[in-house]
Amino acid sequence: MAGNEEHPLIDDGTDERLEERYIPEVPKDSSDGDSDFEPELAGMEEPELEFDETGLELAAERELEADEEELRQEGGDKGPFRSGAITPDGLIDEDFEEELGSPSQEVANDIDGGFADIARLGIVQVAGDDHYGRKVIVFSACRLPPSKDLDHKRLLKYLKHTLDQYVENDYTLVYFHFGLNSKNKPSFGWLREAYREFDRKYKKNLKALYLVHPTNFIKFLWGLFKPLISVKFGRKIMYVNYLFELQEHMHFEQLPIPQRVKDYDQLLIQRYRPRGSINNHDVHVLTKNKVTPAQPTSQFYDDAYKQFGLPLNVIRANNNDDPIPPIVQMTIKHLKDHGLDTEGIFRRSANASTVKTVQLKFNTGEPVNFREHDIHVPAVILKTFLRELPEPILTFDLYDAVIRIPSFSEPKKRVTETRRLIVDELPDDNYEVLKYVISFLTMVKENSEKNKMTSQNLAIVFGPNLIWPRSQASLTAMGHINAFTKLLLDYYEEIFVK
């Protein structure tokens, strides 16, 4: 993935320099962004850049002073940018809060929080976890209606309402820039207000901000906002010129990419033929409607050992008919022994290269000793295993029933229907693994005074890893998934035991 030359590092848990690729200059488009694409490359219309820059310098000074004061309070003496240094394990030093606390918003049946009119536009969506166990939140500019038809102040409130549910976990933002034009772009004053509204609470656990299909407008804005942005936050901002550059970080089959963005990406690929694109089938396969990883040209592992990405019944057959996959048993045993009191367990991501190494060891049958790793590694591995199942543990067939149950008005009915669904309709292998995982998570919940992981927090972290739709999930559906997961945790005895 090609990165910003001045900010070549991304906080994905690795300190490797990112490969430089050719960045094409995208021609301007005279269309309004709503018409079908012409055979020629259809770039986006550059917005008029007329706004007031008053206050930029003052805001930048306040940000620097805040960073310096934070360091003084923590005993730092190496200047205002020291807190953004790269740590030995390849992570950005974030100086996490002493107490994580609980999400500022409880997951209710109406997850849109009174913003149904904005939610239905699909501008903001949650896409579960990335490959490093971090929540992925997507903003699609092409879904912004004309400015005259949208209250941008309400949009800002909705953005905050959405982020408030996830910002106490490690999370990632993906911004699809294509489709922003002179008719739907927010004012610069709104952008400046948004940046001020998204204070340290929102920036602290943000691990990466991917700017997909950047144009000269994005680069112009970066130049304007650069004085306001601290160095440690600036390192998290990365340009992504083609969709395939995201695939090593994201679950593409679960990423809500607007069709117009896919079409635009295809036009870029066809015109510029970037290195590592469709001519190299060992890297990826691009189609008009989706981006999927290619099958490897050689077999790197024995299927008898492989666990990631295999159906549960296949893993069971390779595991002496034991329904609980070895990777689930190992991670949970280690976490029971060493992680129950860890503050923020399952909220934090782990070193990316370490996670990949551990995955490869499991798939090749090599021994894995979690004592050699940070406690967050087995936590991420467990979530990653669940997320990479070909079908979610709660299955595609039960998706509609799962998101419907939290809407029942009577708590007793919610529990009764959940038990019926889990016991009667879930396949046996899925039931055994789900019960094993939820039983362990109730132990985590019981230690919430130390680890800060209440059933609400665990539901937010694990819900998207237990079930997802065949296509894309709305924010409303994501709220119901989390609420259903909370039911499993709060009523474990009633659902699985009695």
Side-chain angles (χ1 to χ4, degrees), residues 299-497:
Q299 195 74 354
F300 293 103
Y301 43 74
D302 186 341
D303 281 342
Y305 295 113
K306 183 183 177 184
Q307 296 185 68
F308 287 93
L310 284 185
L312 290 176
N313 63 328
V314 175
I315 299 175
R316 177 173 184 162
N318 293 333
N319 190 33
N320 297 319
D321 208 34
D322 188 339
I324 311 302
I327 193 170
V328 175
Q329 296 185 43
M330 287 185 61
T331 52
I332 286 182
K333 183 181 185 306
H334 186 80
L335 291 167
K336 280 182 179 179
D337 294 341
H338 307 285
L340 290 179
D341 294 340
T342 300
E343 196 171 289
I345 191 67
F346 293 117
R347 277 190 178 178
R348 299 297 176 224
S349 52
N351 181 281
S353 59
T354 300
V355 170
K356 292 178 181 178
T357 299
V358 171
Q359 283 185 281
L360 181 61
K361 284 185 175 181
F362 272 110
N363 275 346
T364 55
E366 294 184 43
V368 174
N369 183 2
F370 282 126
R371 287 180 174 270
E372 299 175 354
H373 304 294
D374 180 86
I375 192 62
H376 296 292
V377 171
V380 169
I381 288 293
L382 176 60
K383 291 193 297 179
T384 301
F385 170 79
L386 294 172
R387 191 73 189 185
E388 293 191 1
L389 287 171
E391 184 173 19
I393 196 74
L394 285 168
T395 74
F396 290 127
D397 289 341
L398 298 187
Y399 179 80
D400 289 339
V402 164
I403 63 173
R404 184 174 62 248
I405 286 176
S407 65
F408 295 160
S409 58
E410 298 179 8
K412 184 176 180 180
K413 184 177 180 181
R414 292 198 292 268
V415 175
T416 301
E417 181 61 16
T418 298
R419 175 177 170 81
R420 187 199 65 77
L421 201 68
I422 297 299
V423 174
D424 296 344
E425 298 193 34
L426 201 61
D428 291 343
D429 288 343
N430 298 59
Y431 174 85
E432 295 296 337
V433 176
L434 179 66
K435 180 180 178 181
Y436 194 88
V437 171
I438 298 299
S439 176
F440 162 64
L441 293 181
T442 60
M443 296 176 63
V444 177
K445 179 189 71 171
E446 289 167 0
N447 286 268
S448 61
E449 287 190 8
K450 293 182 178 179
N451 60 40
K452 310 299 181 186
M453 296 304 291
T454 63
S455 59
Q456 179 67 40
N457 296 341
L458 288 168
I460 290 174
V461 169
F462 264 90
N465 298 307
L466 298 181
I467 192 166
W468 56 87
R470 296 181 188 274
S471 55
Q472 300 170 4
S474 66
L475 278 175
T476 301
M478 193 67 70
H480 290 309
I481 288 171
N482 295 343
F484 181 86
T485 306
K486 188 174 185 297
L487 277 173
L488 299 180
L489 293 166
D490 289 341
Y491 296 95
Y492 169 79
E493 293 287 335
E494 290 84 346
I495 293 171
F496 291 95
V497 180

Side-chain angles (χ1 to χ4, degrees), residues 8-28:
L9 297 177
I10 189 165
D11 189 10
D12 62 357
T14 179
D15 56 359
E16 298 177 357
R17 293 273 167 171
L18 299 174
E19 180 184 4
E20 291 294 330
R21 287 197 177 96
Y22 169 61
I23 302 177
E25 290 295 333
V26 181
K28 296 182 181 180

Side-chain angles (χ1 to χ4, degrees), residues 106-391:
E106 290 289 318
V107 175
N109 289 340
D110 183 11
I111 194 64
D112 296 329
F115 296 96
D117 56 326
I118 296 179
R120 70 170 60 100
L121 296 173
I123 301 167
V124 182
Q125 294 174 291
V126 178
D129 290 359
D130 62 12
H131 289 321
Y132 317 117
R134 309 177 300 207
K135 284 288 172 291
V136 179
I137 299 174
V138 176
F139 188 102
S140 301
C142 68
R143 289 177 170 157
L144 284 168
S147 296
K148 63 183 179 63
D149 298 329
L150 179 65
D151 184 341
H152 285 93
K153 289 186 177 180
R154 276 176 51 75
L155 174 62
L156 180 55
K157 290 180 181 179
Y158 177 63
L159 283 172
K160 293 183 67 176
H161 167 78
T162 301
L163 291 175
D164 280 344
Q165 300 167 53
Y166 300 100
V167 295
E168 292 186 10
N169 307 313
D170 288 351
Y171 73 104
T172 295
L173 290 176
V174 178
Y175 169 62
F176 293 117
H177 182 59
F178 176 77
L180 192 72
N181 55 58
S182 59
K183 293 183 179 180
N184 67 3
K185 70 177 180 69
S187 67
F188 180 75
W190 183 88
L191 293 173
R192 187 170 56 189
E193 179 184 357
Y195 182 79
R196 289 172 175 169
E197 287 286 323
F198 295 128
D199 55 19
R200 189 171 183 269
K201 166 187 172 182
Y202 298 93
K203 301 170 191 172
K204 192 171 189 64
N205 294 331
L206 175 65
K207 294 301 168 185
L209 169 55
Y210 299 95
L211 303 179
V212 182
H213 298 141
T215 62
N216 290 333
F217 174 58
I218 281 286
K219 297 169 185 177
F220 180 86
L221 281 182
W222 170 251
L224 288 180
F225 275 99
K226 192 173 180 180
L228 284 75
I229 298 175
S230 63
V231 169
K232 61 182 178 181
F233 181 75
R235 289 192 183 105
K236 304 174 184 181
I237 300 176
M238 297 301 299
Y239 291 160
V240 177
N241 301 296
Y242 306 98
L243 291 177
F244 72 81
E245 295 174 346
L246 280 175
Q247 73 175 10
E248 66 177 292
H249 307 291
M250 307 285 168
H251 297 280
F252 257 85
E253 71 280 5
Q254 299 159 23
L255 194 64
I257 307 174
Q259 186 60 48
R260 292 176 59 205
V261 173
K262 296 176 185 177
D263 292 341
Y264 177 68
D265 190 75
Q266 282 294 296
L267 290 172
L268 290 177
I269 291 287
Q270 291 168 13
R271 167 155 295 196
Y272 296 108
R273 297 282 176 175
R275 188 154 50 93
S277 64
I278 56 177
N279 293 322
N280 186 346
H281 291 283
D282 290 339
V283 178
H284 63 90
V285 172
L286 290 172
T287 68
K288 184 174 182 60
N289 295 317
K290 61 182 179 179
V291 185
T292 56
Q295 296 299 316
T297 54
S298 60
Q299 195 74 354
F300 293 103
Y301 43 74
D302 186 341
D303 281 342
Y305 295 113
K306 183 183 177 184
Q307 296 185 68
F308 287 93
L310 284 185
L312 290 176
N313 63 328
V314 175
I315 299 175
R316 177 173 184 162
N318 293 333
N319 190 33
N320 297 319
D321 208 34
D322 188 339
I324 311 302
I327 193 170
V328 175
Q329 296 185 43
M330 287 185 61
T331 52
I332 286 182
K333 183 181 185 306
H334 186 80
L335 291 167
K336 280 182 179 179
D337 294 341
H338 307 285
L340 290 179
D341 294 340
T342 300
E343 196 171 289
I345 191 67
F346 293 117
R347 277 190 178 178
R348 299 297 176 224
S349 52
N351 181 281
S353 59
T354 300
V355 170
K356 292 178 181 178
T357 299
V358 171
Q359 283 185 281
L360 181 61
K361 284 185 175 181
F362 272 110
N363 275 346
T364 55
E366 294 184 43
V368 174
N369 183 2
F370 282 126
R371 287 180 174 270
E372 299 175 354
H373 304 294
D374 180 86
I375 192 62
H376 296 292
V377 171
V380 169
I381 288 293
L382 176 60
K383 291 193 297 179
T384 301
F385 170 79
L386 294 172
R387 191 73 189 185
E388 293 191 1
L389 287 171
E391 184 173 19

